[in-house]
Amino acid sequence: MLSGRLDTRQMTLCALFTALIAVGAQIKVPLPVVPFTLQFLFTTLAGLLLGGRLGALSVPVYLILGLAGAPVFTEGGGPAYLLKPSFGYLIGFMLGAWSTGIIASRTRPLSLKRAAAASACGLAVVYICGMAYCYLISNFVLAQPLSFEALFIYCFLLAVPGDILLCFIGALLAVRLAERSPLSYVRS
């Protein structure tokens, strides 16, 4: 369905990925500043399997739940989470899922090469949003100065290797699921 309204199947798929993103937040490896989680894997899969519009829609539902106080974020929930330097990555997940879905849905069937490229583009979007937000909130709101060097080390170098691996895992899973599942390729 291409109109602005969602049918029951589309709402169910968005809700499924919202739940998967919340579960992915609880599977974490603590790192300084930005913990490593599986949220990126599930937001990438949302974009690859549901397309840009529906994949991106799964993320704001997750954000609203967390900001309303449900403990779905990596370190809990609530409106104060907006002041966490890592919140920009959560915003980036929405834009990353959208860009991943837009790129992936350009050709059918989905190839591993296209899925990996779409995932890598989504990863770049997530890191641009996350790092920009971290820098701005740290330096201008929290008054906890963060240099560009520290930002690059803690918010990129330490975190990106695992997320690059998740790009390839997500691409492989999406291609395999697309071969066998009717849930993928909901046009958005």
Side-chain angles (χ1 to χ4, degrees):
M1 173 180 252
L2 292 173
S3 72
R5 299 183 66 114
L6 299 178
D7 62 30
T8 303
R9 180 173 181 256
Q10 292 171 321
M11 286 188 279
T12 303
L13 291 171
C14 286
L16 170 68
F17 276 97
T18 298
L20 287 171
I21 296 164
V23 168
Q26 305 312 309
I27 302 169
K28 56 191 167 214
V29 176
L31 294 174
V33 183
V34 180
F36 176 77
T37 69
L38 293 184
Q39 291 165 295
F40 174 70
L41 174 64
F42 294 119
T43 58
T44 297
L45 282 171
L48 291 171
L49 295 173
L50 302 181
R53 180 174 151 254
L54 294 178
L57 184 59
S58 301
V59 182
V61 173
Y62 166 73
L63 294 176
I64 290 166
L65 284 170
L67 291 173
V72 295
F73 296 149
T74 302
E75 298 172 356
Y81 221 86
L82 288 167
L83 296 177
K84 288 197 168 283
S86 62
F87 188 76
Y89 291 91
L90 298 177
I91 296 167
F93 289 150
M94 180 177 56
L95 299 173
W98 178 79
S99 61
T100 298
I102 294 296
I103 293 167
S105 65
R106 294 200 182 205
T107 60
R108 299 288 180 225
L110 182 63
S111 69
L112 183 59
K113 182 179 177 182
R114 165 92 46 194
S119 298
C121 180
L123 179 65
V125 170
V126 168
Y127 273 82
I128 289 168
C129 292
M131 291 174 69
Y133 191 93
C134 184
Y135 183 81
L136 293 172
I137 203 87
S138 294
N139 287 308
F140 300 109
V141 177
L142 300 177
Q144 298 172 345
L146 181 66
S147 69
F148 283 115
E149 180 182 4
L151 178 74
F152 182 75
I153 291 169
Y154 292 114
C155 297
F156 182 77
L157 278 183
L158 291 177
V160 82
D163 286 335
I164 290 172
L165 178 62
L166 291 180
C167 278
F168 291 107
I169 291 170
L172 184 61
L173 283 171
V175 169
R176 298 292 292 183
L177 286 169
E179 292 170 353
R180 295 184 165 85
S181 173
L183 96 78
S184 60
Y185 307 128
V186 177
R187 289 286 177 187
S188 54

